[in-house]
Amino acid sequence: MNFWQVLSYAAWIVSGLLFLWMLADLVSVAKEYDEDFLMSSREGADELMDQ
Amino acid sequence: MSTSAASATGGERITMLKVLNPFHIWALGVGIVLVGEFMGWNFSVAKGGAYGSLIACWVIGLLYTCVAMIDSEVTSTVAAAGGQYTQAKHIIGPLMAFNVGLYLVMAYTMLEAADALVVGDLMKSGAEALGYAGLDTKPFVVLTIAFLAWLNYRGVFMTLTLNFVITLFAFFAILVLFLVTDPVHPGAVLKHSELLTDLPYGWIGVIASLQFGMWYYLGIEGTCQAAEEVRSAGRAIPLGTMGGMMTLLVAASLTWYICSGLMPWQYLGQAVTPLYDAASLIGNTKVQVLLFIGTMFSAIASANGCINDAARAWFSLGRDRYMPVWFGAIHPRYRTPYRSIIFLIPIAVSFAFTGLLDQVITFSILSGLLGYTFMSINMVKFRKKWPLNSIKRGYIHPFHPIPAITLFILCSAVYFATFLGYGASLLSIMAFYIVASLWFTFRRYQFVKRGDQFTMPWPRPKGY
Amino acid sequence: MAKKFIPKKQSGLGQFVDSIFILVLVYVSLYIPLWLKSESAAAAANNGPKPTWESLHLPAVIQEQWVKLGYDAEKAAALIDTKFDYTIDPVMLLVTAAVIIGYFIYMIKVSDKQYREVIAEKFGDK
């Protein structure tokens, strides 16, 4: 196997790991936190700057 | 650990620090867009020849100047994370806002897919230059998207300062390439007199090329996402955005000049990395490496900004329940719209996998175009519902309604340009937004709270 | 004050179905033009004689650049011969224009109706 083939496999593996990491984190956050808390942000007043 | 619902300290309740100046706004806007000089603009050469492409570059520059003026006024007054989506909610109505939200998500996600495609293709060209032909681009496409999504998920945004450096480097690469082509001695390296042909399709080709002329500038309206963080929005946003426009006009003209003097137009019209190809034709390895890095940097900076903007738009749609509310969550530790970020990954990857850069770009351009059409209508309604002295505006653009009318007319021309040669794509994309609109009206809107959609501290609109 | 509208809460399954729906919609609308293209490309297979640099009649400089880019006569001819067809079918033009204009009119009208409800609930009936 030459350098480029190794690089390609490495790219696939790293991508897969990153994606699995995010999925795992998503699931653990859902278990740990209350759903209403996660959704509690509000548009508007907090984001408006003082003009 | 769980907290009671009553103590709702949601992610966005921290106010953002107001430290940005016009330079940062310039960096943000040009950072997303400069990649368009490294790839995609050249499809306009396929549609109308080299001269057609140049005319498109300047005519669409006018379109985007109008966009910059209009967007500066509305954004400096409606400073919210949802950007144009929030504007549409307050000025036109829910269904329009739903569509605008989708325009943002689709335009940025397709641009991101195009960026990843370019990275994959660059890897293949690089491997070939080093002796290994036929490298599969897919793993590098996926890695680009996965890695940048992961960065965004973790809240490690490329700071605007880093973006500034990367963007400056990419712009510098274009300048170096220009100088290396020995522009003071025409014919020495650049062969315009031999390569530039007559308009291959006549004047209708020039109109047709307007479609991809959009790619030189698409995304400059993204400067407005930073509105909340700017010290003086009324000054910084118009300055930064117009400064960005001028930079892009220069970069676009130089790019056109270099490429049209080195490659036959039929090749240029379908090249994936035209500036890199131009550099490899000159025979100077250092310059070739410079353009390899420049193209890579611009694609990565752009993709990063796109993931951020697309996810924020999808998150805003979820928070208002226009989309399933599950997407409206903020990560408790990282403070990012993490569910939206993950959901958009497979969409971006599958589009990049089609390998058809021109189709993906067309979807992005049309979504952007629909958004600019909305902007022209929105501007007129904004001034009608809240006349100049009824609310405080951060910036008031001059000569209204001329920019809005000009924008509307130029947008119409671009729809026609797309119809020429890409008519099937045009209808297909319209079908998407129409079906989505029907779905929203008859299925999604029942879950949406009514009065809560209006969050700005404004008085009742005039006439309502 | 207009009566406050209390919306239904959506179940997890409903949200999942809706998410899949929009995903499928995006894929379909991207792939339709691709499927149409591959049908017509298959139909238009080139059966003529193999092109050479002589048969292409290219000026010397242009031919030189093609060669530098790594293209032989056959590959270059494939690109040179693919041309856009800009003949305008008036029916298709009218249909497309009607679709775009109709879409915007529909959107603005329905939005306005929904908007009035929002304003009435937020600011009270006039």
Side-chain angles (χ1 to χ4, degrees):
Chain A
M1 274 218 294
N2 68 25
F3 166 73
W4 296 103
Q5 286 168 315
V6 170
L7 195 63
S8 299
Y9 279 122
W12 279 121
I13 293 172
V14 172
S15 305
L17 287 174
L18 288 170
F19 190 66
L20 283 173
W21 185 96
M22 287 189 272
L23 270 180
D25 183 81
L26 184 138
V27 170
S28 90
V29 164
K31 286 209 187 106
E32 234 186 287
Y33 292 83
D34 183 30
E35 195 66 8
D36 284 331
F37 169 67
L38 294 173
M39 308 286 196
S40 58
S41 70
R42 291 287 168 261
E43 177 183 275
D46 337 320
E47 295 158 356
L48 244 202
M49 53 194 190
D50 301 83
Q51 298 236 36
Chain B
M1 172 194 106
S2 86
T3 45
S4 73
S7 66
T9 45
E12 302 267 343
R13 300 225 146 206
I14 307 169
T15 53
M16 309 212 198
L17 292 175
K18 300 191 207 352
V19 292
L20 303 184
N21 60 37
F23 262 130
H24 289 111
I25 303 297
W26 176 90
L28 185 62
V30 177
I32 290 190
V33 185
L34 196 61
V35 70
E37 267 68 354
F38 288 85
M39 63 88 170
W41 67 269
N42 52 303
F43 295 135
S44 63
V45 175
K47 292 205 77 185
Y51 282 123
S53 173
L54 182 65
I55 296 172
C57 170
W58 286 80
V59 171
I60 300 298
L62 178 62
L63 185 154
Y64 272 92
T65 306
C66 296
V67 168
M69 290 169 74
I70 289 174
D71 209 34
S72 293
E73 173 171 330
V74 192
T75 300
S76 62
T77 312
V78 181
Q84 286 88 3
Y85 159 75
T86 310
Q87 297 169 19
K89 256 200 304 177
H90 288 81
I91 299 170
I92 301 193
L95 178 59
M96 182 85 244
F98 173 72
N99 279 273
V100 171
L102 277 186
Y103 300 155
L104 292 172
V105 174
M106 290 302 138
Y108 287 126
T109 306
M110 298 306 147
L111 171 49
E112 173 200 338
D115 292 331
L117 245 170
V118 166
V119 171
D121 209 82
L122 260 183
M123 292 302 294
K124 184 158 163 220
S125 301
E128 218 168 277
L130 291 171
Y132 181 81
L135 181 70
D136 185 13
T137 59
K138 291 195 170 67
F140 303 102
V141 169
V142 177
L143 182 60
T144 305
I145 294 176
F147 177 65
L148 292 174
W150 181 78
L151 279 184
N152 274 275
Y153 187 101
R154 296 282 310 266
V156 181
F157 302 116
M158 262 205 279
T159 63
L160 279 178
T161 315
L162 181 58
N163 224 40
F164 182 78
V165 171
I166 286 183
T167 304
L168 214 53
F169 183 93
F171 186 68
F172 168 73
I174 300 181
L175 284 178
V176 167
L177 180 59
F178 176 67
L179 291 171
V180 166
T181 60
D182 203 0
V184 226
H185 300 110
V189 178
L190 295 173
K191 310 202 183 298
H192 287 106
S193 51
E194 292 92 338
L195 286 170
L196 282 177
T197 63
D198 287 332
L199 299 171
Y201 300 100
W203 282 96
I204 199 156
V206 175
I207 297 180
S209 63
L210 290 178
Q211 172 191 353
F212 290 107
M214 302 279 284
W215 205 242
Y216 284 110
Y217 313 97
L218 191 110
I220 189 76
E221 70 278 10
T223 53
C224 304
Q225 307 288 64
E228 311 147 55
E229 301 162 76
V230 169
R231 215 179 270 137
S232 147
R235 200 179 66 96
I237 290 189
L239 262 181
T241 311
M242 294 310 290
M245 276 303 303
M246 284 190 269
T247 309
L248 293 168
L249 271 164
V250 170
S253 306
L254 287 179
T255 301
W256 179 88
Y257 191 72
I258 295 167
C259 293
S260 62
L262 282 169
M263 292 171 270
W265 73 271
Q266 296 97 334
Y267 174 81
L268 180 55
Q270 55 82 58
V272 177
T273 51
L275 274 178
Y276 172 73
D277 290 349
S280 41
L281 278 175
I282 292 180
N284 181 330
T285 318
K286 290 205 191 81
V287 174
Q288 194 173 341
V289 170
L290 186 69
L291 264 302
F292 181 90
I293 299 176
T295 309
M296 190 74 88
F297 272 7
S298 67
I300 292 176
S302 168
N304 192 51
C306 286
I307 293 179
N308 188 30
D309 289 350
R312 274 179 168 204
W314 192 262
F315 154 80
S316 300
L317 288 170
R319 184 166 60 174
D320 283 332
R321 289 156 177 75
Y322 285 27
M323 281 298 174
V325 72
W326 184 82
F327 294 111
I330 297 253
H331 197 289
R333 277 191 302 277
Y334 303 129
R335 312 295 212 185
T336 56
Y338 67 116
R339 291 177 178 171
S340 303
I341 293 173
I342 283 203
F343 181 75
L344 293 174
I345 292 176
I347 298 187
V349 168
S350 63
F351 284 156
F353 273 9
T354 64
L356 291 156
L357 191 57
D358 64 331
Q359 290 292 341
V360 170
I361 287 181
T362 300
F363 205 117
S364 183
I365 287 176
L366 279 173
S367 302
L369 184 63
L370 288 164
Y372 305 137
T373 315
F374 147 75
M375 267 187 212
S376 62
I377 302 170
N378 194 45
M379 190 63 237
V380 171
K381 288 196 176 260
F382 186 41
R383 289 282 184 101
K384 272 209 179 120
K385 289 186 177 161
W386 288 283
L388 281 181
N389 38 22
S390 59
I391 55 170
K392 183 155 187 277
R393 285 171 155 82
Y395 166 73
I396 294 173
H397 83 283
F399 310 127
H400 174 77
I402 294 178
I405 295 175
T406 311
L407 179 56
F408 190 82
I409 293 173
L410 288 173
C411 284
S412 310
V414 181
Y415 287 116
F416 180 61
T418 311
F419 171 79
L420 296 170
Y422 283 80
S425 303
L426 177 53
L427 278 176
S428 184
I429 290 168
M430 293 311 303
F432 167 74
Y433 285 109
I434 291 173
V435 173
S437 295
L438 291 168
W439 176 70
F440 175 77
T441 310
F442 295 113
R443 163 76 179 162
R444 293 301 314 165
Y445 197 50
Q446 61 182 309
F447 301 114
V448 177
K449 298 185 186 168
R450 301 296 188 243
D452 287 9
Q453 294 174 73
F454 196 102
T455 56
M456 291 291 128
W458 296 345
R460 193 182 194 116
K462 193 158 158 224
Y464 284 77
Chain C
M1 249 345 231
K3 192 173 120 169
K4 193 165 170 113
F5 171 81
I6 313 283
K8 310 194 321 205
K9 265 193 166 357
Q10 192 180 24
S11 69
L13 179 65
Q15 292 188 48
F16 180 72
V17 167
D18 279 350
S19 307
I20 298 296
F21 175 81
I22 196 81
L23 216 69
V24 168
L25 197 61
V26 174
Y27 287 158
V28 167
S29 65
L30 185 80
Y31 279 94
I32 287 179
L34 302 188
W35 290 323
L36 291 174
K37 242 193 184 177
S38 64
E39 278 170 21
S40 60
N46 185 16
N47 292 316
K50 255 180 101 144
T52 60
W53 287 122
E54 291 75 35
S55 68
L56 284 173
H57 301 300
L58 293 171
V61 175
I62 295 186
Q63 183 177 318
E64 193 187 320
Q65 299 302 99
W66 278 110
V67 172
K68 264 198 202 168
L69 285 163
Y71 276 68
D72 60 22
E74 202 178 332
K75 287 206 301 193
L79 286 183
I80 294 175
D81 289 336
T82 350
K83 287 211 168 251
F84 278 104
D85 181 10
Y86 289 153
T87 48
I88 298 175
D89 176 357
V91 173
M92 279 320 291
L93 181 60
L94 273 168
V95 166
T96 308
V99 164
I100 298 176
I101 296 173
Y103 161 77
F104 271 102
I105 293 179
Y106 164 72
M107 242 196 322
I108 294 178
K109 281 206 153 111
V110 173
S111 295
D112 197 61
K113 207 168 64 115
Q114 296 166 332
Y115 184 74
R116 284 178 191 277
E117 260 180 18
V118 170
I119 298 296
E121 189 181 294
K122 173 97 184 175
F123 293 100
D125 295 310
K126 261 190 164 160

